[in-house]
Amino acid sequence: MDTDRLDHFRSRLELLAEEIRSAMESSKEDSGVVELDTSIGRLSRMDAMQNQQMALELRRRQEQQLQRIANALKRMDKGTYGLCGKCKQLIAEVRLEVSPDVVLCVRCA
Ligand SMILES: [Zn+2]
């Protein structure tokens, strides 16, 4: 992949990481521990716990994606970015456009 394309995907990755970090920052309070406060009813407590569960699940996925982005940036430094992690063939750039942190080509995924 030439330098221009690499730079393009590098800024896509950095932008994506930035978006995830700010989303995580703004949802911080949602994943806090639900107080088992008896002053709120049982139903709203279940609601709160369900919301917390969803927030935790979202956070887990966001962390995984940040990790994938960090790995993709590392592959750029090593010069292996855009190569399938399995068959070592070039990953189609349209596929990288959709998800620049993707590791496998269409056939191996
Ligand atoms: Zn492959």
Side-chain angles (χ1 to χ4, degrees):
M1 194 181 291
D2 63 42
T3 324
D4 276 3
R5 296 305 289 160
L6 267 181
D7 282 347
H8 164 75
F9 286 117
R10 187 187 296 272
S11 41
R12 287 277 318 273
L13 286 164
E14 280 164 358
L15 195 69
L16 204 58
E18 200 46 56
E19 280 171 12
I20 296 167
R21 279 194 207 99
S22 65
M24 285 171 87
E25 193 56 42
S26 62
S27 68
K28 227 174 192 168
E29 54 270 27
D30 295 342
S31 50
V33 175
V34 175
E35 296 286 334
L36 292 180
D37 186 350
T38 45
S39 69
I40 60 170
R42 199 173 76 89
L43 282 177
S44 52
R45 194 158 66 233
M46 280 170 64
D47 251 10
M49 286 169 78
Q50 202 169 29
N51 286 344
Q52 185 189 24
Q53 214 47 54
M54 278 161 55
L56 287 174
E57 173 61 23
L58 178 65
R59 170 154 299 240
R60 204 173 56 79
R61 271 184 284 137
Q62 287 167 325
E63 278 165 359
Q64 282 174 345
Q65 195 174 11
L66 280 178
Q67 192 55 54
R68 280 203 308 271
I69 292 170
N71 289 340
L73 290 169
K74 267 187 223 154
R75 289 197 301 279
M76 278 185 179
D77 293 336
K78 283 196 295 184
T80 58
Y81 179 76
L83 297 179
C84 172
K86 210 170 178 181
C87 69
K88 313 293 177 202
Q89 299 296 303
L90 279 173
I91 299 173
E93 288 198 16
V94 280
R95 182 166 166 80
L96 292 169
E97 282 294 347
V98 177
S99 36
D101 58 343
V102 77
V103 177
L104 297 176
C105 73
V106 181
R107 273 176 302 160
C108 298

